[in-house]
Amino acid sequence: MSKQAQIGVFAILALLLLFGVFFVITDFGTRHTGYKVGIHFNSAAGLSSGALIYFSGVTVGSVDSIQLLPDNTVDVILAVNKDVDIPRSSKFLIQAPLTGNPSLIIVPPVPLPRPSGVVGPTPAPAANAMLERRVLPVDEQAQGQDSATIADLLQQGQGEIKRLDLMLSDLETREPRLLNTLQDTMNNANNLTITANRSMTQLSSQGRLIADSLQATIGTASSNIVDLTNQLDRTVATSGPKVDHLLTTLNATAVSLNQSVDSLKGLATNKALKQNLIDTTRNIADTTQTIAGLTKDLRTITDNPQTQGQLRDTVAQLDAATQKANTLLGSLGGTSHVYGVDASATPYPSTLPSSAPRGPGTPHAPAPPPPNSPGQIKRSLGGIVKNLYAIQIRLSELSKQTTIGGNPLLGSDRGPQSDFNLLLLPAGNTSFLVGANDLGGKTTYNFVGIGSFGKRARLGGGILYSRLGLLAEYNQGLFGLEGRAYDLRRPTFDLYGSLKLNRATRLFLGQRDLLHPERRTVFGLELQF
């Protein structure tokens, strides 16, 4: 297996593993691998589809759907993890906080006391039946309890007021004893203050002794600093002549450099020298023109086929040297077609033109390639420009919003959304993606550096949707797979699959924000030219 294929297989396995992790840690798995049960409530109390379900304080699923019945009661369908069994005698409550979304709480029956000497959890009673793992008819469903009303709170408050009255009566009887205890506490605090004062006096005397010792140490250090200063003065006095000699040498060097600059300036402003250079250049140009004329005369005068072949070889080598610059642009798409230089070039004809005379034993000299026509030059330049940049336009449509969450990029808008990106060096090993998303809406920006691993796998990082993120792509012929992970504060993952219609057009389908309940399906068309 080639290195590119190994990298492609590794990229696919990494994406599948990442999707598996998201499948487990999100409620996506609960909705597809768990089971559903129905609970009958008199009122939904603001509960919505997608709300979390807590069993003994642990998240075990989410609300699948809520249906209003003809008698104005509510049938709530729950999606529960497959490894959780719910006792039928459990209490089903709707928790509606002052802030945030309501949730559904399942309170299991109180377990029996653990027998003496038994270690581990107490087994549930055998008579405690479990809910069936299916949606039963409404009259057979477990009955949920409604949220507490103001009347219930007032009634409970009256009971608390009675308890407060009893507490005040008890406090009145215990007050003398509490005052005596408080007096004893104050006496103890006074004694503690006296003891602390004595300790502070002793600590102050010890601090004075430490200060005296520190003063003596500072005096010794001061004398050491004076000695060190004197030694530095003697060192400077000894090294002074050496420093003066070094400065004198540097001054002489600066004077010599100044004289050299003046001489060079004189040469540059010398008109005679300038005229000599111009005359020499003209002579070289005349000599080159003369050589070119002689070469043309030799090609037209000579009748020796071998000489003609050598001239053709010379022209071919000049053409090859000219096109090697284009070969250096191979990483940007530039190519040449010089036989003997580029492996993909077409060989020259092995025979001479029919008009050329041939003698006995004359070798077949290769014919030079035809000169580049203006159309060929334009096509070569166009190919280089296409490999310098490419324009990418994405038109996408989103599915209907079912859950309102905290994603700042996904609102109730369904599109169409238009993204515009510019790919720099799209055919190189390293390319850059620069552009904007959702033009005219919640516009965000991209700036990503992308590295290629073979011809199929690409991995990059930078700014995605105006947030720090990563991008991974894998293309296998007609089909492709793309993943985007971004936003460190609220980790978001997008996954797309694509179908290639032609060289410039693709259809794509995937999901935005796959990690959270407010995920949205997206599909659309991508153009790149």
Side-chain angles (χ1 to χ4, degrees):
M1 182 181 292
S2 63
K3 185 176 180 180
Q4 290 81 2
Q6 292 177 358
I7 294 175
V9 172
F10 177 77
I12 291 178
L13 292 178
L15 289 175
L16 291 177
L17 179 60
L18 184 59
F19 181 78
V21 172
F22 297 150
F23 186 88
V24 172
I25 66 175
T26 62
D27 63 342
F28 184 84
T30 300
R31 292 178 176 269
H32 294 81
T33 62
Y35 63 94
K36 296 181 181 180
V37 295
I39 307 298
H40 185 228
F41 286 90
N42 291 331
S43 173
L47 192 68
S48 62
S49 176
L52 298 178
I53 302 174
Y54 296 95
F55 182 80
S56 294
V58 179
T59 304
V60 296
S62 60
V63 175
D64 184 78
S65 62
I66 300 175
Q67 182 179 2
L68 183 64
L69 301 178
D71 58 349
N72 296 327
T73 59
V74 179
D75 188 17
V76 179
I77 306 301
L78 310 182
V80 186
N81 293 343
K82 65 179 181 180
D83 55 349
V84 177
D85 291 322
I86 301 175
R88 189 174 182 84
S89 58
S90 301
K91 296 181 181 179
F92 300 87
L93 307 174
I94 297 177
Q95 183 182 21
L98 295 178
T99 60
N101 298 325
S103 58
L104 194 145
I105 300 177
I106 302 175
V107 181
V110 179
L112 297 176
R114 181 184 295 116
S116 179
V118 177
V119 179
T122 303
N128 194 6
M130 301 296 173
L131 284 178
E132 295 185 27
R133 295 195 173 196
R134 63 188 183 91
V135 179
L136 299 173
V138 176
D139 53 349
E140 296 179 11
Q141 293 180 359
Q143 183 67 36
Q145 298 183 11
D146 297 331
S147 303
T149 62
I150 296 178
D152 298 333
L153 296 176
L154 291 176
Q155 184 177 1
Q156 186 177 2
Q158 291 177 357
E160 296 297 328
I161 292 174
K162 292 179 181 180
R163 289 181 59 192
L164 179 61
D165 189 23
L166 294 176
M167 291 174 60
L168 291 175
S169 300
D170 189 19
L171 180 63
E172 186 177 0
T173 57
R174 298 186 181 185
E175 183 180 0
R177 188 167 53 187
L178 291 175
L179 291 176
N180 294 332
T181 304
L182 180 60
Q183 184 63 38
D184 294 338
T185 303
M186 293 179 64
N187 293 333
N188 293 333
N190 188 22
N191 295 332
L192 181 62
T193 302
I194 294 173
T195 303
N197 188 17
R198 293 174 181 173
S199 299
M200 290 297 296
T201 302
Q202 184 178 2
L203 181 63
S204 177
S205 61
Q206 293 178 354
R208 285 196 295 270
L209 294 176
I210 294 173
D212 294 338
S213 176
L214 182 62
Q215 182 65 32
T217 304
I218 292 175
T220 304
S222 299
S223 61
N224 292 335
I225 292 174
V226 171
D227 294 339
L228 179 61
T229 303
N230 294 331
Q231 186 175 359
L232 287 175
D233 290 338
R234 290 193 295 270
T235 303
V236 170
T238 304
S239 302
K242 297 181 181 179
V243 175
D244 292 339
H245 178 68
L246 178 62
L247 293 176
T248 303
T249 304
L250 289 176
N251 188 21
T253 303
V255 172
S256 300
L257 181 61
N258 189 17
Q259 293 175 353
S260 299
V261 172
D262 292 338
S263 300
L264 182 61
K265 182 178 179 181
L267 291 175
T269 57
N270 191 338
K271 296 182 179 180
L273 178 61
K274 181 177 180 181
Q275 185 62 37
N276 291 334
L277 291 175
I278 294 175
D279 294 339
T280 302
T281 304
R282 288 177 179 174
N283 291 333
I284 292 173
D286 294 340
T287 303
T288 303
Q289 186 175 1
T290 302
I291 292 173
L294 290 175
T295 302
K296 182 177 179 182
D297 294 338
L298 288 174
R299 291 181 60 186
T300 55
I301 293 173
T302 182
D303 292 332
N304 190 341
Q306 184 175 0
T307 303
Q308 291 183 358
Q310 291 176 352
L311 292 175
R312 292 190 183 96
D313 291 340
T314 302
V315 174
Q317 292 298 329
L318 290 175
D319 184 67
T322 303
Q323 296 190 39
K324 281 183 179 179
N326 193 21
T327 304
L328 294 178
L329 298 176
S331 60
L332 302 178
T335 59
S336 65
H337 298 281
V338 181
Y339 182 62
V341 177
D342 299 297
S344 60
T346 303
Y348 300 146
S350 59
T351 59
L352 292 172
S354 58
S355 60
R358 295 179 182 165
T362 301
H364 296 288
N372 291 330
S373 63
Q376 291 175 337
I377 295 175
K378 290 182 179 180
R379 286 193 294 270
S380 298
L381 292 177
I384 294 175
V385 171
K386 288 182 179 179
N387 285 279
L388 288 176
Y389 74 90
I391 297 175
Q392 183 187 90
I393 299 175
R394 292 168 64 106
L395 301 175
S396 57
E397 184 84 12
L398 279 74
S399 62
K400 184 178 179 181
Q401 185 183 32
T402 57
T403 302
I404 300 176
N407 192 320
L409 300 178
L410 297 178
S412 59
D413 181 26
R414 300 183 59 186
Q417 295 183 358
S418 57
D419 302 345
F420 181 86
N421 294 293
L422 183 65
L423 286 170
L424 302 177
L425 309 178
N429 293 330
T430 301
S431 58
F432 298 91
L433 176 71
V434 181
N437 310 297
D438 193 9
L439 297 176
K442 296 182 179 180
T443 303
T444 55
Y445 302 95
N446 304 321
F447 186 83
V448 182
I450 303 173
S452 298
F453 298 90
K455 296 182 179 179
R456 299 174 180 175
R458 304 177 72 196
L459 181 65
I463 303 300
L464 281 172
Y465 297 101
S466 297
R467 289 155 176 82
L468 190 64
L470 297 174
L471 181 147
E473 296 181 1
Y474 183 77
N475 294 305
Q476 178 70 33
L478 297 177
F479 302 98
L481 191 64
E482 178 182 353
R484 297 184 178 185
Y486 51 91
D487 197 348
L488 297 180
R489 293 189 175 181
R490 184 183 181 280
T492 305
F493 180 72
D494 300 347
L495 184 63
Y496 302 95
S498 62
L499 173 63
K500 184 176 181 181
L501 300 180
N502 53 43
R503 185 176 182 182
T505 308
R506 282 181 177 270
L507 293 177
F508 62 89
L509 172 66
Q511 280 204 335
R512 294 281 303 275
D513 198 2
L514 190 62
L515 302 180
H516 301 90
E518 56 267 28
R519 64 180 66 88
R520 301 281 292 278
T521 301
V522 60
F523 59 92
L525 180 68
E526 178 183 305
L527 302 175
Q528 182 171 322
F529 50 87

